[in-house]
Amino acid sequence: MDYVNLGRSGLLVSPLCLGTMNFGPRTTEEDSFAIMDRAHELGLNFFDTANVYGGQKGAGITENILGRWFSQGGGRREKTVIATKVYGDMGDWPNERRLSALNIRRACDASLKRMQTDYIDIYQAHHVDRDTPFEEFWEAMEILRQQGKIIYVGSSNFAGWHIAKAQETAARRNFTGLVSEQSHYNLLTRAPELEVLPACEDYGLGVIPWSPLAGGLLGGVLRKIDKGRSAADNMVKQLERHRDKIEQWEKFCDELNEDPANVALAWLLKQRAVAAPIIGPRTMEQLEGSLRTLEIDLDEAALARIDEIFPGHRTAPEDYAW
């Protein structure tokens, strides 16, 4: 495994990040444990979760699964760079959500308890909070770091100007600032190329793309439907919307003799500032299959063909102005 620095930080992470959103709702605890153990065997050290994952408000089901896995020992916690998130609703009272200093403090302590650890490697804002000043956000994060409860801070679902404002505010406070941005980025969602990726590149954030397969559309959906495997109603609607592109995409992957999911991930790893796309395997087979991604080296001709199928963006303002 060739590890990469997360942005400009000294933190080394695997170039694929194990997403845990399925742990609990779709993957049993026993299977989740097996997947995480196998991930370590394969060299994956970067795991992502969130306090809201698990499908039951306030229960923190997925973080609890991680905690019980860590509690088995065997170096599981020490080998893992764990990233979790704060922002989503964890209760019905007004201060059980978003990025107030009060909720950040309470949410961090709750995540630490659920995951049975005394520190979080990367504590991420799950979404921008337009009602909380960045001065308040950074003061809360600085206190957590001083207390030894977190090491790095990341963002998720920030616009380019949110990243700029966050970093400039942190700089005025002589604080490190953000080391990563978890962004919705894939071949069907390339808007981050306008502002988010350039901001991350300039400020030294490592980009962690979520939904890299566009909810399964880029993972060989036509092949699965042809074989009689069912698809969610929403996916069917999205497929009809993008059918022409998906048909071209799967044909191109056939020419490469590669699985579409792995090619989609390999494409992301070629994009500037991208550190580690999030994979969300429900089964061991899906986890092990994704490692093929790291062996695929897309050449300039392949990248150009992909751009023809899924046109991207130039950096703003050149994308829409001179």
Side-chain angles (χ1 to χ4, degrees), residues 194-195 312-322:
L194 283 164
E195 306 273 3
H313 293 278
R314 291 180 297 164
T315 300
E318 288 84 0
D319 188 79
Y320 48 81
W322 61 274

Side-chain angles (χ1 to χ4, degrees), residues 1-2 15-16 38 42 44 256-259 261-270 277 287-299 302:
M1 182 68 64
D2 292 325
L16 293 175
R38 183 59 177 150
L42 294 169
L44 299 182
L256 294 178
N257 197 30
E258 297 286 357
D259 183 86
N262 293 335
V263 180
L265 292 168
W267 175 83
L268 279 169
L269 289 172
K270 285 285 190 178
L287 170 65
E288 293 178 346
S290 66
L291 268 291
R292 170 61 186 161
T293 296
L294 304 180
E295 300 173 5
I296 298 174
D297 186 16
L298 299 171
D299 60 22

Side-chain angles (χ1 to χ4, degrees), residues 9-242:
S9 77
L11 184 65
L12 291 173
V13 297
S14 50
L16 293 175
C17 177
L18 180 68
T20 64
M21 182 183 284
N22 289 318
F23 294 177
R26 304 180 71 179
T27 305
T28 67
E29 182 163 322
E30 181 181 3
D31 288 345
S32 299
F33 281 17
I35 287 172
M36 289 187 283
D37 282 335
R38 183 59 177 150
H40 272 183
E41 291 173 2
L42 294 169
L44 299 182
N45 74 332
F46 191 15
F47 294 7
D48 175 75
T49 191
N51 60 355
V52 293
Y53 289 173
Q56 182 180 338
K57 184 194 284 189
I61 290 171
T62 303
E63 284 189 334
N64 276 309
I65 289 173
L66 277 158
R68 289 189 287 271
W69 182 71
F70 286 146
S71 72
Q72 296 178 94
R76 286 176 172 82
R77 177 63 187 96
E78 293 77 10
K79 294 174 184 176
T80 304
V81 174
I82 187 67
T84 193
K85 309 183 196 75
V86 55
Y87 178 89
D89 289 5
M90 291 297 287
D92 298 323
W93 285 79
N95 291 306
E96 294 180 287
R97 61 183 67 87
R98 301 207 172 184
L99 301 180
S100 69
L102 178 59
N103 186 50
I104 287 174
R105 173 178 174 170
R106 290 175 173 173
C108 181
D109 285 344
S111 287
L112 290 170
K113 183 177 181 180
R114 283 190 291 267
M115 293 194 293
Q116 301 187 47
T117 183
D118 56 3
Y119 70 97
I120 294 165
D121 297 286
I122 310 169
Y123 201 35
Q124 304 165 113
H126 208 160
H127 195 280
V128 65
D129 183 355
R130 297 177 177 87
D131 295 327
T132 299
F134 276 112
E135 288 81 3
E136 179 179 348
F137 171 79
W138 282 124
E139 182 178 33
M141 291 297 183
E142 288 164 16
I143 291 171
L144 291 179
R145 188 169 184 187
Q146 290 164 4
Q147 293 173 336
K149 295 178 179 179
I150 67 171
I151 299 177
Y152 299 97
V153 181
S155 61
S156 181
N157 303 304
F158 275 31
W161 74 273
H162 297 138
I163 292 168
K165 192 169 183 179
Q167 296 301 75
E168 293 302 324
T169 304
R172 289 197 298 272
R173 300 177 64 88
N174 295 313
F175 193 67
T176 305
L178 303 169
V179 299
S180 62
E181 159 61 18
Q182 194 173 129
S183 195
H184 187 197
Y185 184 37
N186 56 56
L187 282 166
L188 283 168
T189 305
R190 296 185 63 171
E193 294 169 355
L194 283 164
E195 306 273 3
V196 176
L197 266 60
C200 290
E201 188 174 33
D202 189 71
Y203 282 104
L205 278 66
V207 176
I208 310 167
W210 63 266
S211 192
L213 304 183
L217 285 175
L218 299 169
V221 64
L222 292 177
R223 304 175 184 188
K224 295 171 185 176
I225 291 177
D226 288 344
K227 292 179 180 179
R229 293 172 59 180
S230 61
D233 290 342
N234 181 59
M235 182 183 290
V236 172
K237 292 177 182 177
Q238 290 297 315
L239 174 58
E240 292 312 308
R241 179 183 173 190
H242 300 291

